[in-house]
Amino acid sequence: MSDELTTIGLITPEPDHPLLAATTELLGREHRVETIHPETTRLDALGSPADVYLLKSRTPAALALARELESRGAPVVNSAEATTLCQDRTAMAERALAAGLPFSVTRTHASLAGLAAEAGPVGPLVVKSRHSRRHDLVARVDSRRQLAELTDEWAEEPVVTQEFAENNGVDHKLWVIDGTVFAALRRSELSPAGRGPTRSLSLGQLPPGWAELAVKVGAVFRLDVYGVDVLETARGGPLIVDINAFPGIRGQEGAPEALAALALRRAREAVAAA
């Protein structure tokens, strides 16, 4: 495979996402980039495979498409298996804690109504939908009244709970593309004021060891493009509260270049292994 013939497939309903658009502009100068809408593309209508696919969607249709492409021998970044793992917060916590990562201890509940029916005091807890998706449930609960209010809307939602860790109300957003770490600060969505703007950080502004921690997450979860949400707790250590496969990495200098390089490297490796 010569570089001129490299074809990169984007599995996404949003090819105009800033990261993907910038990456497409870079790759499109010398390579071929095709967008595959996972909700409208029929599996039996797929033509000749691309040299590599970037999976920027987590819907059931997108995952089914990725699995079919993988069964045909095509490399997919991230794999369908790794992407699926990061959608299940119970499985995510089990994998992270088993690997010794500083992850929030996580309890699983069949439904929010079931959690509300349990005896004993409540809070402070963070309650999240078990299955990560857009517009899912993420809320801090400090009392049974708050829990009852959430239950009015989310009664049948399978949820996980994590003990609320005292922190300064700011999330460290760490993103990794093929081992290259990008970082930013953003006010937590659990803050009374809601999620705030994102401010980029240099790696030198991170606490010691945090960049290495983010890279280790990729090895544990077999991810190439991912995000790690980390809190600096009142006790001084890092606490991972979420891991996302192929998140929206916006405004990070060098991110499109890193993603383009990853796509080309994986395509070349696939050809060499064939």
Side-chain angles (χ1 to χ4, degrees):
M1 177 190 68
S2 66
D3 287 350
E4 290 74 13
L5 297 178
T6 305
T7 301
I8 300 94
L10 304 181
I11 304 174
T12 180
E14 299 176 316
D16 57 347
H17 182 284
L19 175 62
L20 294 183
T23 302
T24 297
E25 196 278 329
L26 290 170
L27 289 169
R29 297 171 187 173
E30 299 180 12
H31 310 287
R32 184 183 302 116
V33 181
E34 300 175 346
T35 299
I36 303 169
H37 194 303
E39 310 306 318
T40 59
T41 300
R42 300 197 332 268
L43 292 176
D44 59 2
L46 288 174
S48 299
D51 297 299
V52 66
Y53 293 88
L54 303 181
L55 177 58
K56 183 68 175 75
S57 179
R58 295 176 291 174
T59 66
L63 292 168
L65 178 61
R67 290 189 185 96
E68 175 62 23
L69 291 167
E70 289 171 335
S71 75
R72 300 182 185 187
V76 179
V77 179
N78 299 289
S79 71
E81 180 182 8
T83 301
T84 300
L85 176 60
C86 289
Q87 287 186 271
D88 184 340
R89 289 187 168 112
T90 297
M92 179 195 305
E94 290 173 350
R95 172 72 66 87
L97 291 167
L101 295 173
F103 197 91
S104 290
V105 175
T106 301
R107 295 179 59 214
T108 303
H109 310 267
S111 69
L112 188 60
L115 170 62
E118 293 181 7
V122 172
L125 292 173
V126 178
V127 180
K128 302 178 180 180
S129 295
R130 172 174 177 172
H131 302 290
S132 174
R133 62 191 187 279
R134 285 189 178 183
H135 311 302
D136 59 2
L137 171 62
V138 179
R140 175 176 171 173
V141 173
D142 291 285
S143 66
R144 286 207 164 272
R145 177 183 60 80
Q146 289 177 319
L147 185 57
E149 291 172 352
L150 280 181
T151 305
D152 287 342
E153 180 179 356
W154 298 87
E156 301 307 313
E157 181 78 359
V159 297
V160 299
T161 55
Q162 298 169 340
E163 181 180 347
F164 179 78
E166 291 296 332
N167 62 89
N168 61 3
V170 176
D171 291 343
H172 283 78
K173 311 292 290 187
L174 305 182
W175 299 289
V176 183
I177 301 176
D178 200 22
T180 299
V181 181
F182 304 88
L185 285 178
R186 186 168 67 193
R187 190 171 62 225
S188 171
E189 61 187 309
L190 300 178
S191 168
R195 179 178 291 171
T198 300
R199 178 170 65 86
S200 293
L201 294 177
S202 69
L203 296 188
Q205 293 175 291
L206 290 175
W210 282 31
E212 293 79 4
L213 174 63
V215 172
K216 182 178 179 181
V217 168
V220 169
F221 283 83
R222 298 181 182 177
L223 293 164
D224 291 302
V225 184
Y226 57 98
V228 186
D229 292 350
V230 186
L231 300 178
E232 186 170 14
T233 66
R235 298 174 184 175
L239 182 68
I240 299 173
V241 295
D242 216 350
I243 299 166
N244 299 286
F246 219 129
I249 306 171
R250 299 174 185 265
Q252 296 298 303
E253 184 177 352
E257 289 80 1
L259 184 57
L262 168 62
L264 294 176
R265 180 178 67 79
R266 288 295 299 275
R268 294 188 184 104
E269 289 174 350
V271 169

